Amino acid sequence: MVRTWAVWGAAGLAAVALTAFLLLREQVDLARIGVAYAAKQTCSCLYVGGRTPESCASDYDPATYRLFSVRIETEGPTQAVSVQAFSVFRARAVFEPGYGCTLVE
């Protein structure tokens, strides 16, 4: 009787672990896409559209925008935007005159 409960418990635990893995894998992919989108859109907004950082931030939902750490670099010839979420997911978009913004990371 105890052995049967142990087998069912292990099977249930394996099913929960597999479900969590499948659900989290999709969320990780969505987080990577979201960070890359934010970097590219903010870069285009700033350097192609000529808008202010505050104006670009208003394009995003305020709750979502607070999840991102946005860093705008304008040192020398480099014009780039780096976005980070949850200290794990990162993306960087660089502006090239005549070509627009390109994701580089």
Side-chain angles (χ1 to χ4, degrees), residues 47 71-80 92:
Y47 302 119
R71 184 170 13 116
I72 300 165
E73 304 167 17
T74 54
E75 299 173 6
T78 303
Q79 294 178 313
R92 186 168 190 251

Side-chain angles (χ1 to χ4, degrees), residues 34-88:
V35 169
Y37 174 81
K40 170 71 168 68
Q41 287 300 107
T42 304
C43 180
S44 295
C45 178
L46 289 170
Y47 302 119
V48 176
R51 294 169 52 193
T52 64
E54 294 79 21
S55 174
C56 293
S58 70
D59 290 346
Y60 301 103
D61 177 39
T64 304
Y65 197 77
R66 283 189 293 243
L67 295 175
F68 298 140
S69 169
V70 178
R71 184 170 13 116
I72 300 165
E73 304 167 17
T74 54
E75 299 173 6
T78 303
Q79 294 178 313
V81 173
S82 297
V83 176
Q84 182 176 341
F86 307 115
S87 300
V88 177

Side-chain angles (χ1 to χ4, degrees), residues 23-44:
L23 291 176
L24 287 177
R25 183 179 66 173
E26 183 176 313
Q27 296 303 315
V28 167
D29 290 341
L30 290 175
R32 287 186 180 137
I33 292 169
V35 169
Y37 174 81
K40 170 71 168 68
Q41 287 300 107
T42 304
C43 180
S44 295

